[in-house]
Structures are given as structure tokens and as C-alpha cells.
């Protein structure tokens, strides 16, 4: 039944059966969107250090919380990214929502410029209003250029201003091989990025749980069902644990994909740029993700302290309570036999006065003898310095209580 419905929706998209003129236009050929890609069900296993057969110019696999690169292939070459450009606009929208500058219920009215984009679109008309929620749905699922520009104008007032924000954010993320000219990914001179840079912005985006409300959807609609949306990311349907993220295709960029997936508490970002076919990009991303999930595990290591307090000099108390909060994110090979160990290092001659949350030392964390992180040991309370005035105050308080 589900397959029948899927085929019906696709048929409706292309032949207009009962669908209005505002049907979505996709940059990708989605006539075979219901068909698994070549290696969708194939089991692939490559040991750490092995070479993956990825038929694309550039690729990378990144763990987003440690920032560790697990595999790369020509990952720093500057290449046109097509619609995976939209990862940066989506990140800026998520940040604007977090700041309170936008809300999902905010209505955005389409400008003439937004409606003129062409390519993938939901056929917005000038003055037509859609909520941020609807525009996000259109941008993420259907890669709608008009919806993306409308969101950018809502934040910055114009696409040009929004692109400036995109480039500023890229610089802050360390995306050193990136320059954006537009927010849609349509081919343009001097519009480029790299697989590594795409992985960096993808890692930043997926840390917003809200994005997965859209990026994990296979099919949806707008305008009370008049405009059908089909996710061009086949991994959403055919790869276990997929959380997103974005496809992109133009004649200049070829087939591009930023794919994210999560299994057993570990999330990975796989980026493939300039594949020769849709199957090449999906199969390449699957191989990268398979490699990561087969060979690595993700752990959150707590500091842990044997001591509840430490000695204090010159204080009104002889000790001060301490704790070690926080955690270290650790990515380890599954075949690693190294034991996680901790070493507590306190500052020498800890003296009052002490303020709550003052750092009094560190817990160093090691795996197989190699330091993989450290967490601060902090004071749980304020402790005054023992002075003549404090002593006199105590004496006076004692007299008054007699």
C-alpha cells in the first residue's frame, strides 16, 4: 500500500493528477525516487586504514562532537556545492530561532526576488505568505530555492545581506576553503566550498534537534496538500539511522550529498562532492557511514573524583568542597583494548579566599596512555580568608549571642 501511495504521489508530481499549478519543481530527477540506490542493501566492511571505493572527486567522514576526521579523500579541494549550500542558510535560521529573532509561526511574505529564483522551487508568488515552519519544510525536503531566499530575506533584509552573514559564519566555523555568492547553490562564479567545510557546517547544523523534524521526512505537502514534497535524499528511506541532511545537483557541481546518520549513540557526517551519478553520491555516503559505524564507538567520559574536599590554607575553613563536572567526548576504535584512566592534578598550595566555581585543578583523562581530554576541578562554595577582621567579627558575634 505504501509503495502504491508513493508511486501515486510521484505520478502526481510529474503529470498533475489533481495537483495545482504550484507543484514543487525539483533540481533532481525524482522519477526513480522510490527505487533503492545501487548499494542500498549491500553490506560493506572496510577495516580502519583501508581504502573505500568512492566514485566522486571529494569525500570525508567526520564525527561532529569530537571533530575527528575518520576518512577523507581530496577533502580540501574547492568545488561547487550545488544545493548543499543551503546547509549554511538553515544553520543561520536555526540560530535565529534560538535567539528569538524568528519563530516557527512567523509569517514571511515572498518578495519578487525570492520568486524569481528558478531551479528547485515551490512556486511562491510575490506577496504570498508562508510560516517559517512551512518554508523550512520546503527548503529542507524539496530544496526550494524560493523558500530559502525568503528565509534569508526575513533574517537579513536581502539575499545579499544574508550571503554576507553566511560568509561570516563560515569563517567563524573555520571553513577556510569556502566562499558563498548566493544562498541557493545555483551555479555561480566564485561560489565554492570543500567536503571538509561542508562537514563542518553540517556538524554545526545537526546539533539543533529541530532540523531533524524536517530532514528525516520522506514525503509531505504544503498548501493544504496542493504541493507535494518528496525528499531527494534516498538515505532517509533506505539507510538505517539516517538523520539528514541535504542533496545538491547542478551541471557544474554534479551530484553532491551531505549525509548524517546516528546509531548506538554515535552520529556521523558523510560528505560526497562531484559524483558522476545519483547512485555514486548515495553509495559513496553509505560506504563512509558503514565504515564509521563498523569501526568506531562514541563514549562520554565523566571526570569522577575520589575526593569530596581538598585542603585549604589561610581559610576560615580547613577544606573546601570540590567537584568535577562536565564530560569528555571520546571516539575510540572498536578494536581498541586501551583502558580509560583518570589522573587528578590539584593546584599546589590552594589558599583562601576561594569563590564558588574557581578552578582548583584538573582531571586528566587517558586512553592507552594518551591524553584525550581534561576536565576542571571546581570549588563548590565560597570560603573567606582568615584575617584579623574576620576573627574580630567572630568574637563580636559570640558576645552578642551571650
Amino acid at each position: 500500500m505504501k509503495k502504491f501511495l508513493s508511486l501515486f504521489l510521484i505520478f502526481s508530481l510529474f503529470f498533475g493528477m489533481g495537483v495545482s499549478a504550484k507543484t514543487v519543481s525539483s533540481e533532481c530527477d525524482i522519477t526513480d525516487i522510490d527505487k533503492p540506490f545501487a548499494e542500498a542493501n549491500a553490506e560493506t566492511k572496510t577495516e580502519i586504514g583501508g581504502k573505500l571505493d568512492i566514485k566522486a572527486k571529494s569525500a570525508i567522514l567526520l564525527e561532529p562532537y569530537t571533530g575527528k576526521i575518520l576518512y577523507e579523500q581530496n577533502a580540501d579541494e574547492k568545488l561547487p556545492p550545488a544545493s548543499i549550500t543551503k546547509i549554511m542558510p538553515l544553520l543561520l535560521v536555526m540560530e535565529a530561532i534560538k535567539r528569538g529573532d524568528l519563530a516557527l509561526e512567523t509569517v514571511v511574505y515572498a518578495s519578487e526576488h525570492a520568486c524569481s529564483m528558478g531551479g528547485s522551487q515551490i512556486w511562491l508568488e510575490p506577496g504570498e505568505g508562508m510560516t517559517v515552519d512551512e518554508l523550512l519544510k520546503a527548503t529542507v525536503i524539496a530544496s526550494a530555492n524560493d523558500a530559502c531566499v525568503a528565509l534569508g530575506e526575513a533574517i537579513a533584509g536581502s539575499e545579499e545581506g544574508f550571503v554576507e552573514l553566511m560568509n561570516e559564519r563560515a569563517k567563524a566555523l573555520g571553513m577556510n576553503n569556502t566562499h558563498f555568492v548566493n544562498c541557493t547553490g545555483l551555479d555561480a562564479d566564485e561560489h565554492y566550498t570543500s567536503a571538509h567545510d561542508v562537514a563542518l557546517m553540517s556538524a554545526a547544523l545537526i546539533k539543533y534537534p529541530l532540523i531533524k523534524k524536517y530532514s528525516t521526512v520522506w514525503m509531505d505537502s504544503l498548501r493544504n496538500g496542493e504541493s507535494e514534497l518528496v525528499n531527494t535524499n534516498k538515505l532517509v528511506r533506505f539507510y538505517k539511522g539516517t538523520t539528514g541532511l541535504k542533496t545538491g545537483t547542478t551541471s557544474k557541481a554534479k551530484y553532491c550529498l551531505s549525509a548524517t546518520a546516528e546509531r548506538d549513540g554515535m552520529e556521523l557526517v558523510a560528505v560526497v562532492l562531484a559524483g558522476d551519478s545519483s547512485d555514486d553520491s548515495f553509495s559513496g555516503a553509505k560506504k563512509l557511514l558503514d565504515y564509521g559505524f563498523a569501526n568506531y564507538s562514541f563514549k562520554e567520559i565523566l571526570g569522577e573524583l575520589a575526593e569530596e574536599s581538598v585542603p585549604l590554607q589561610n581559610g576560615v575553613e580547613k577544606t573546601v568542597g570540590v567537584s568535577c563536572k562536565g564530560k569528555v567526548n571520546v571516539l575510540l576504535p572498536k578494536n581498541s583494548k586501551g583502558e580509560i584512566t583518570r589522573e587528578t592534578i590539584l593546584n599546589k598550595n590552594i589558599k583562601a579566599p576561594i569563590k564558588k566555581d574557581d578552578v582548583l585543578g584538573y582531571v586528566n583523562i587517558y586512553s592507552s596512555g594518551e591524553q584525550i581530554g581534561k576536565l576542571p576541578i571546581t570549588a563548590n562554595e565560597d570560603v573567606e580568608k582568615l584575617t584579623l577582621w574576620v576573627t574580630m567579627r567572630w568574637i563580636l558575634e559570640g558576645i552578642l549571642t551571650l
Side-chain angles (χ1 to χ4, degrees):
M1 184 64 180
K2 288 182 179 179
K3 185 173 182 180
F4 174 79
L5 290 173
S6 299
L7 291 171
F8 176 78
L9 286 173
I10 295 165
F11 191 75
S12 299
L13 281 169
F14 284 90
F15 298 101
M17 292 180 59
V19 180
S20 77
K22 292 179 181 178
T23 302
V24 170
S25 171
S26 176
E27 67 183 356
C28 302
D29 179 4
I30 58 173
T31 54
D32 67 344
I33 201 68
D34 203 53
K35 179 183 176 183
F37 54 94
E39 297 189 37
N41 301 311
E43 291 293 329
T44 58
K45 175 67 184 292
T46 302
E47 301 293 337
I48 293 176
K51 183 172 176 58
L52 300 176
D53 180 22
I54 298 174
K55 296 180 175 64
K57 186 173 286 188
S58 182
I60 194 169
L61 179 66
L62 179 82
E63 195 290 312
Y65 293 93
T66 63
K68 185 172 181 179
I69 296 172
L70 308 184
Y71 189 91
E72 58 183 323
Q73 172 182 307
N74 191 34
D76 292 320
E77 183 176 353
K78 297 175 181 177
L79 294 168
S83 278
I84 56 176
T85 294
K86 294 185 176 78
I87 293 168
M88 181 59 79
L90 291 169
L91 174 60
L92 294 180
V93 171
M94 292 296 116
E95 292 174 343
I97 292 173
K98 182 179 180 180
R99 291 193 305 268
D101 294 343
L102 282 181
L104 292 179
E105 302 77 22
T106 302
V107 177
V108 176
Y109 295 94
S111 68
E112 292 272 2
H113 176 66
C115 297
S116 70
M117 287 297 102
S120 298
Q121 58 186 311
I122 54 170
W123 301 106
L124 283 173
E125 296 180 355
E128 182 179 3
M130 279 196 177
T131 64
V132 169
D133 176 65
E134 291 171 317
L135 293 172
L136 279 170
K137 189 187 295 187
T139 303
V140 180
I141 301 173
S143 196
N145 294 325
D146 45 3
C148 184
V149 172
L151 285 169
E153 290 175 338
I155 291 175
S158 67
E159 184 183 9
E160 292 80 8
F162 191 56
V163 171
E164 288 184 17
L165 296 179
M166 289 169 60
N167 284 314
E168 289 174 9
R169 192 69 180 93
K171 186 176 180 180
L173 286 171
M175 296 168 60
N176 299 322
N177 292 307
T178 294
H179 182 257
F180 296 118
V181 173
N182 57 57
C183 68
T184 60
L186 292 170
D187 287 337
D189 292 340
E190 296 304 307
H191 185 90
Y192 56 81
T193 186
S194 68
H196 181 236
D197 286 0
V198 172
L200 291 178
M201 64 177 177
S202 300
L205 178 58
I206 61 171
K207 290 171 185 174
Y208 288 88
L210 176 61
I211 195 64
K212 295 170 188 176
K213 170 186 175 183
Y214 309 97
S215 61
T216 57
V217 172
W218 175 240
M219 287 185 172
D220 210 323
S221 64
L222 295 170
R223 301 185 177 103
N224 296 317
E226 292 182 351
S227 299
E228 304 293 349
L229 307 176
V230 181
N231 197 327
T232 54
N233 181 5
K234 285 189 175 185
L235 293 177
V236 169
R237 182 163 184 185
F238 297 114
Y239 191 80
K240 178 184 174 184
T242 295
T243 56
L245 191 61
K246 193 74 195 68
T247 62
T249 306
T250 66
S251 57
K252 186 176 180 181
K254 298 187 178 180
Y255 291 85
C256 304
L257 174 64
S258 177
T260 58
E262 183 174 7
R263 293 181 185 175
D264 299 323
M266 180 172 71
E267 193 155 19
L268 297 174
V269 177
V271 179
V272 177
L273 297 185
D276 287 329
S277 70
S278 173
D279 266 5
D280 285 345
S281 64
F282 290 123
S283 297
K286 178 186 180 296
K287 289 173 184 177
L288 287 165
L289 293 169
D290 283 350
Y291 174 86
F293 289 128
N295 290 301
Y296 293 91
S297 61
F298 180 82
K299 294 183 179 180
E300 294 179 340
I301 309 298
L302 301 178
E304 298 182 6
L305 277 177
E307 305 90 344
E308 293 183 358
S309 61
V310 297
L312 181 63
Q313 299 179 16
N314 302 335
V316 297
E317 304 288 345
K318 293 183 179 180
T319 61
V320 58
V322 292
S323 58
C324 185
K325 300 176 182 177
K327 59 192 176 183
V328 172
N329 295 322
V330 180
L331 192 69
L332 297 172
K334 285 187 175 180
N335 61 5
S336 172
K337 297 179 181 178
E339 182 182 359
I340 300 295
T341 58
R342 299 167 179 81
E343 178 187 27
T344 299
I345 304 294
L346 292 168
N347 297 345
K348 294 181 179 179
N349 303 320
I350 299 173
K351 298 179 180 179
I354 295 291
K355 293 291 186 183
K356 185 180 178 181
D357 296 327
D358 279 354
V359 175
L360 306 181
Y362 290 91
V363 173
N364 295 327
I365 301 174
Y366 300 87
S367 174
S368 301
E370 178 184 353
Q371 186 171 347
I372 55 176
K374 68 178 183 179
L375 294 169
I377 299 169
T378 56
N380 292 340
E381 64 238 338
D382 296 344
V383 180
E384 284 186 280
K385 182 178 180 180
L386 183 59
T387 64
L388 176 61
W389 294 110
V390 171
T391 304
M392 291 177 64
R393 188 183 72 203
W394 286 352
I395 293 171
L396 181 58
E397 288 173 351
I399 294 172
L400 292 175
T401 56
L402 289 177

